[in-house]
Amino acid sequence: MTGESSLCGNWAGAVQERLYNNGIRCKTGFYRDWRRWMWEMAAYDAVFNLVGAVRDDENPTTHKDVALYYEEEAVDMLWQINNNLRGRLAVTLIYGFEDRVFEYAERNGGDWECKVSGDNYSYQFGIDAIEASEMVCNYLCLAQKKGRFGPDFQLKPTVQKFERDLNPKILKGNFRCDGAI
């Protein structure tokens, strides 16, 4: 994803100015704020790609589609991840993080196809706070059943222990403007 950079540290102002002069948007903040921004993006990447990748639609699901039609699932996963961060790493995402994430997806995610792969698994989902989310694990198991990770990929046993059948109505998303579920 392009266009979203952030900095912290002693030289943040100087680096931000250089990036800005070259047309790259960048925000600066203290280390704790920077850490929260990075966790927001990690949670966003994991949740939006996973929720969209398990769909059986004819057209590929985009991040914008997830924000518009599958909000309940994504919000529940984001809050589970937030609670895991609080319990494991003593990090709490700032109030309103889900609104920022959805606004970002609606604004920028119209062309970004949701996808998961075995090659990127450890970067997207291999984080302890994300793999400890029961709902994320359910969707990871569903994505594996649908072959989204590739034929030879195997999930960790700690992820597979959360496997259960998902309600098919949930997978359809909320009511769209055309009345379909």
Side-chain angles (χ1 to χ4, degrees):
M1 294 183 209
T2 60
E4 293 293 320
S5 300
S6 59
L7 295 163
C8 67
N10 294 336
W11 299 100
V15 174
Q16 178 191 27
E17 186 176 335
R18 288 182 183 141
L19 292 173
Y20 180 77
N21 290 338
N22 289 298
I24 300 172
R25 222 177 67 173
C26 186
K27 57 185 175 182
T28 61
F30 293 110
Y31 173 71
R32 287 185 198 143
D33 296 330
W34 176 84
R35 191 173 175 196
R36 287 183 179 117
W37 297 332
M38 296 301 103
W39 277 112
E40 279 185 19
M41 283 309 290
Y44 167 82
D45 288 338
V47 168
F48 276 68
N49 280 306
L50 184 59
V51 169
V54 298
R55 304 293 166 222
D56 287 329
D57 297 338
E58 302 83 38
N59 299 326
T61 305
T62 65
H63 287 221
K64 186 174 183 177
D65 293 336
V66 172
L68 294 175
Y69 304 122
Y70 307 107
E71 179 181 0
E72 288 181 33
E73 299 164 73
V75 166
D76 289 346
M77 283 188 204
L78 288 168
W79 272 103
Q80 283 184 4
I81 291 169
N82 184 39
N83 291 338
N84 290 337
L85 286 171
R86 187 178 306 151
R88 286 175 166 69
L89 299 174
V91 174
T92 303
L93 299 180
I94 298 171
Y95 178 77
F97 72 94
E98 67 273 69
D99 294 332
R100 284 189 299 279
V101 166
F102 276 87
E103 189 269 329
Y104 179 76
E106 289 176 20
R107 183 183 67 227
N108 300 322
D111 297 329
W112 297 336
E113 184 180 329
C114 298
K115 55 187 166 198
V116 294
S117 72
D119 297 336
N120 292 337
Y121 180 88
S122 61
Y123 301 108
Q124 263 184 319
F125 306 106
I127 304 165
D128 188 38
I130 294 175
E131 275 190 340
S133 165
E134 184 176 344
M135 196 169 178
V136 170
C137 291
N138 289 333
Y139 276 71
L140 287 171
C141 292
L142 180 62
Q144 184 181 20
K145 282 182 184 175
K146 292 186 174 195
R148 301 297 197 260
F149 291 114
D152 299 331
F153 185 80
Q154 278 298 102
L155 290 171
K156 297 178 188 175
T158 54
V159 171
Q160 291 177 345
K161 72 179 181 182
F162 288 115
E163 181 179 8
R164 65 180 171 87
D165 291 330
L166 295 172
N167 182 345
K169 286 187 179 180
I170 289 175
L171 295 175
K172 295 283 186 187
N174 63 6
F175 284 102
R176 298 180 184 217
C177 60
D178 61 1
I181 294 181

